[in-house]
Amino acid sequence: MLSLEPILAFEDNYIWTIHDGRVALFVDPGEAGPILTWLADRRMRPAAVLVTHRHGDHVGGLGPLRARFPELPVYGPAGIAGVNVEVGEGSRCTIAALGLSLDVMATPGHTLEHVVYHGHGWLFCGDTLFSCGCGKVFDGTPAMLHASLKRLAALPPETLVCCAHEYTLDNLLYARALEPDNPVLADWQTRAETLRQAGHPTVPTRLAEELAGNPFLRCDDPELRRCLATRTGHATFGDSTDVFAVLRSDKDIFN
């Protein structure tokens, strides 16, 4: 039976692992130390690594891991140092040691090369989708990121969203400033605060929960549009891409 666990890196990064008690898969190893400690403590060995995009807090551990385990397969977009199995839209990653296959979806927006991995009820979405939020736009465009999020929103609602950062409470502060009377967000904030006070992660979440509360997945919601217009002064919006661009810009300057 496979188990899913987040390993904390830096202050708020999560390196996700899937393991069977003998071997483990790791997603977005921003640093190697936590992984090596985790493996040693559990007397396991690594089976593979998945990478979503090129940012250092997601790939910084690849060098030490490849040096320690030279044959380790590292799946990821082309052009990332340390990746030895290039993947993109439509690829499938089969990890035979775990009996696991994950499909790859290109999700440009946060960065142009960003990909996500999904299967077995899990979505490893890097910095594309966050709990009650989404990634910033770097070398992509808001339209790209919005289109990528719409594709993720079409996955089964019971999918577990395994994002790469502990940003839930920060994202909820913005979401509640935008929609202060939304009971879904109020309940979400209470649950997230309880988890954090107990020292637990707030992720993974269910995609159904994101669809119900995450403002970046609700750009067609009339009430959200009304609240966004009130907050930003935009009297009218075009399509949902226009709403998303204003929403992302407003979150960028939110304090």
Side-chain angles (χ1 to χ4, degrees):
M1 181 176 179
L2 298 179
S3 298
L4 174 73
E5 290 183 38
I7 300 172
L8 184 64
F10 306 113
E11 293 185 356
D12 55 24
N13 279 64
Y14 288 129
I15 301 169
W16 290 95
T17 180
I18 302 170
H19 68 87
D20 63 0
R22 301 175 298 106
V23 296
L25 164 74
F26 300 97
V27 184
D28 282 348
E31 55 179 342
I35 292 175
L36 295 174
T37 299
W38 190 93
L39 287 168
D41 288 347
R42 291 158 181 78
R43 298 182 180 180
M44 291 192 213
R45 57 185 176 84
V49 169
L50 307 181
V51 170
T52 62
H53 66 293
R54 68 180 189 274
H55 285 163
D57 60 333
H58 294 252
V59 301
L62 287 181
L65 288 173
R66 289 289 307 278
R68 179 75 175 272
F69 307 103
E71 303 303 316
L72 183 66
V74 179
Y75 298 82
I80 297 177
V83 167
N84 54 19
V85 185
E86 295 180 359
V87 298
E89 175 69 30
S91 298
R92 174 168 287 185
C93 303
T94 299
I95 316 301
L98 288 167
L100 179 71
S101 289
L102 297 171
D103 292 320
V104 181
M105 184 186 299
T107 55
H110 178 67
T111 64
L112 290 175
E113 83 285 352
H114 203 297
V115 299
V116 303
Y117 303 85
H118 65 96
H120 299 262
W122 298 314
L123 170 65
F124 300 99
C125 48
D127 287 359
T128 294
L129 175 62
F130 291 136
S131 176
C132 201
C134 72
K136 291 184 177 181
V137 175
F138 284 91
D139 53 351
T141 66
M144 285 179 181
L145 185 53
H146 179 51
S148 294
L149 289 170
K150 288 175 70 175
R151 294 187 69 196
L152 299 187
L155 293 172
E158 65 272 14
T159 299
L160 288 176
V161 177
C162 304
C163 59
H165 290 276
E166 183 56 71
Y167 288 167
T168 306
L169 289 176
D170 178 71
N171 288 334
L172 279 163
L173 286 177
Y174 172 72
R176 296 211 66 198
L178 177 66
E179 297 182 279
D181 299 322
N182 186 323
V184 171
L185 295 174
D187 177 65
W188 196 346
Q189 185 174 28
T190 298
R191 288 183 285 113
E193 287 174 345
T194 300
L195 286 169
R196 294 308 291 153
Q197 288 166 5
H200 300 309
T202 61
V203 291
T205 57
R206 296 273 178 193
L207 183 57
E209 183 175 25
E210 300 296 334
L211 292 170
N214 190 326
F216 294 96
L217 299 185
R218 296 170 42 239
C219 293
D220 288 318
D221 186 318
E223 179 61 15
L224 181 137
R225 287 183 173 221
R226 184 191 68 78
C227 290
L228 186 61
T230 299
R231 178 175 166 77
T232 64
H234 280 70
T236 59
F237 296 104
D239 61 12
S240 62
T241 301
D242 187 24
V243 175
F244 179 84
V246 175
L247 194 61
R248 183 62 262 179
S249 177
D250 189 45
K251 175 64 166 64
D252 287 343
I253 61 173
F254 178 72
N255 292 314

